[in-house]
Amino acid sequence: ALNTVAKMLASEGENLARLALSSWRTYVEKERLEVIEAERAKLVLLHQKQFESALSCLAQSSERTLRRSCFVSWKESVEQEKAELLERTRRSEAALRTLAKLCMAEE
């Protein structure tokens, strides 16, 4: 009887551990999607500001100044995009390492 109770308790412990890991994975995925959505919204806002800036320049500047301004805006946009991509890559790699450690520990 004690053996049966011990096996039942061990089985429940394993089920709780699986449930906790599953919940954690769901949470991490939800957080990742929220971060991606926030980054997307930030990029949309950035592009909107750059568009407004370009329109302002068009209305106020000569053709030469406009070309230079557009190029500088484009260059800044590309540099920022690269920096954000690098940061997202670093975050993803860190999350994958953490997940791998948890999976290894689970085995």
Side-chain angles (χ1 to χ4, degrees):
L2 287 177
N3 244 355
T4 303
V5 170
K7 287 180 182 178
M8 187 175 77
L9 290 175
S11 174
E12 285 183 29
E14 289 175 10
N15 287 338
L16 285 174
R18 283 190 191 104
L19 179 62
L21 183 59
S22 175
S23 296
W24 181 82
R25 286 179 182 163
T26 302
Y27 173 79
V28 167
E29 181 64 18
K30 179 183 170 195
E31 287 296 313
R32 185 182 72 82
L33 291 175
E34 287 176 3
V35 166
I36 289 170
E37 182 59 29
E39 292 291 329
R40 188 191 68 74
K42 191 164 77 171
L43 287 175
V44 167
L45 183 61
L46 173 69
H47 289 288
Q48 183 180 4
K49 285 180 180 178
Q50 289 175 344
F51 178 74
E52 290 170 0
S53 175
L55 282 179
S56 174
C57 287
L58 179 62
Q60 298 174 6
S61 300
S62 68
E63 184 179 336
R64 183 175 181 187
T65 304
L66 177 61
R67 273 190 256 140
R68 176 164 170 64
S69 177
C70 288
F71 178 77
V72 168
S73 294
W74 171 79
K75 183 181 174 195
E76 288 173 356
S77 176
V78 168
E79 289 172 353
Q80 184 173 1
E81 183 79 29
K82 284 181 182 180
E84 290 174 357
L85 180 61
L86 181 62
E87 181 60 30
R88 285 194 307 262
T89 301
R90 286 180 185 154
R91 286 188 210 151
S92 294
E93 288 172 351
L96 286 175
R97 282 193 299 272
T98 302
L99 185 58
K101 286 179 185 177
L102 284 173
C103 290
M104 292 284 227
E106 188 177 279
E107 291 176 2

